[in-house]
Amino acid sequence: MQRGDRVLFIGDSITDSGRRDAAPPLGNGYVALFKDLVDVTKPELKLDVVNKGISGNTVLDLRARWEDDVLALRPKAVSVLIGINDVHRYLGGEERLSPQRYYETYRELLELTTRRLDARILLMAPFYVAKPVDEARRKVLDVLTRYVEAVEKLSREYSTLYIDLHAKFQRLLEHIDPAELAPDAIHPTRKGHMLIAYEAYKALIGD
């Protein structure tokens, strides 16, 4: 990254984290922690970090606002974290958010971005911070795998940076109780957000 570069994070409530009301403009989650990590390790970069997360969003919502919230801002790096709402709504019967439709819509976003911007792209896989202790959680974990695979496939196709957040959270569950990372399995605690921020920092800035 170069001095003054704009780094844009986009996604759902995990990215939003109160940035539109409780804690503008970056929220109180991983985006703000990422900015703090950069500021204390590489203050000379003076990165312009932008949070464009909106709670409840799916990949279809990102597609609807991609022009205004990403392309028009011409960032030098774009990080995308989307998918858990797609999973839950697909399980609830919304076929338009199936793994295949998710892949196709996500691919449109990447196609637009690579054509219009000269930017590094970081794709972060959706995650579910839970163990398969009951049928409901087993079902979500099983279906989520297909969305994670879609993001991994897109990353290969478009040669982007990639973080398998689901795998990283699952490894942490070998040592840390799920409630310490995300009590509802979806929305991270500060500790969970720190994992995301740290991984994004390593991917975009380096060790």
Side-chain angles (χ1 to χ4, degrees), residues 42-151:
K42 298 183 183 294
E44 69 278 5
L45 284 179
K46 295 189 178 299
L47 294 183
D48 176 19
V49 177
V50 176
N51 185 341
K52 287 295 182 179
I54 295 182
S55 297
N57 267 195
T58 67
V59 74
L60 294 177
D61 297 305
L62 294 199
R63 179 65 184 87
R65 62 190 182 92
W66 201 255
E67 179 69 40
D68 292 339
D69 284 1
V70 179
L71 301 180
L73 298 180
R74 305 201 63 80
K76 296 304 291 184
V78 179
S79 173
V80 188
L81 173 55
I82 196 74
I84 193 61
N85 291 320
D86 304 70
V87 171
H88 280 286
R89 287 168 60 177
Y90 172 62
L91 285 171
E94 290 193 46
E95 187 60 34
R96 68 194 186 119
L97 294 169
S98 70
Q100 182 59 33
R101 294 287 295 278
Y102 171 83
Y103 166 81
E104 292 167 357
T105 306
Y106 209 142
R107 193 176 190 280
E108 287 182 36
L109 302 183
L110 296 176
E111 190 66 25
L112 284 170
T113 306
T114 53
R115 286 183 182 179
R116 300 268 300 277
L117 298 180
D118 177 20
R120 300 175 75 191
I121 301 173
L122 170 61
L123 305 185
M124 297 196 284
F127 56 85
Y128 192 63
V129 189
K131 297 179 180 180
V133 294
D134 54 44
E135 181 59 31
R137 299 208 166 193
R138 278 195 294 272
K139 183 179 292 186
V140 174
L141 288 165
D142 286 345
V143 172
L144 178 75
T145 300
R146 297 164 64 188
Y147 291 79
V148 173
E149 290 172 349
V151 179

Side-chain angles (χ1 to χ4, degrees), residues 5-21:
D5 279 352
R6 176 169 291 157
V7 181
L8 188 148
F9 293 87
I10 191 165
D12 51 33
S13 59
I14 300 166
T15 302
D16 186 332
S17 285
R19 65 101 179 170
R20 293 172 300 145
D21 41 51

